[in-house]
Amino acid sequence: MFYSNKSFLESLFVVVLFLLLFTKAAADDLPRQIKFLQVQLTDANKKIAALESDQQSISGKISALQTGLNGTHQEISNLKNNGALNHNQLLATTTLSYRTANGHGR
């Protein structure tokens, strides 16, 4: 009776032996893979931190440029308004001088 299960037990032993070898090989390789992934994760985190720093720096520069642009726009607007006033004053003076020269501006 013991001999009738002999082939089954031998097959089971061989399967267990192979599974044990595969499990050990996979377990030995796992720490190297984990270390590699940790290194990659650390590198990625450093790159993200550098990008965040660059983004903050660029945001500050953009803000400063926007402030300067707003000031320049206000100056241009003021010059246009003053220029329109000066142009109207010049037209009034020119018209008055033409009338006076023609004798009609009394």
Side-chain angles (χ1 to χ4, degrees):
M1 185 164 169
F2 179 70
Y3 293 108
S4 64
N5 291 330
K6 185 177 179 184
S7 64
F8 173 73
L9 291 174
E10 286 176 356
S11 300
L12 183 62
F13 178 73
V14 170
V15 168
V16 169
L17 183 64
F18 280 121
L19 287 177
L20 182 64
L21 292 174
F22 287 137
T23 304
K24 181 160 177 31
D28 288 342
D29 194 35
L30 192 60
R32 277 189 278 139
Q33 290 176 352
I34 290 173
K35 183 67 175 172
F36 178 72
L37 291 174
Q38 286 175 338
V39 169
Q40 283 186 329
L41 183 62
T42 303
D43 290 344
N45 286 337
K46 287 178 184 177
K47 289 177 183 178
I48 289 170
L51 288 173
E52 286 176 348
S53 176
D54 290 348
Q55 191 266 341
Q56 288 176 352
S57 173
I58 290 170
S59 293
K61 290 176 183 178
I62 288 173
S63 178
L65 288 171
Q66 187 66 43
T67 301
L69 182 62
N70 290 342
T72 304
H73 180 70
Q74 185 62 41
E75 289 180 24
I76 290 171
S77 179
N78 290 342
L79 288 173
K80 284 182 179 178
N81 290 338
N82 289 339
L85 292 176
N86 290 341
H87 181 70
N88 290 340
Q89 289 172 350
L90 181 63
L91 285 177
T93 304
T94 305
T95 304
L96 181 62
S97 67
Y98 282 139
R99 288 183 182 169
T100 305
N102 291 333
H104 300 289
R106 298 181 219 149

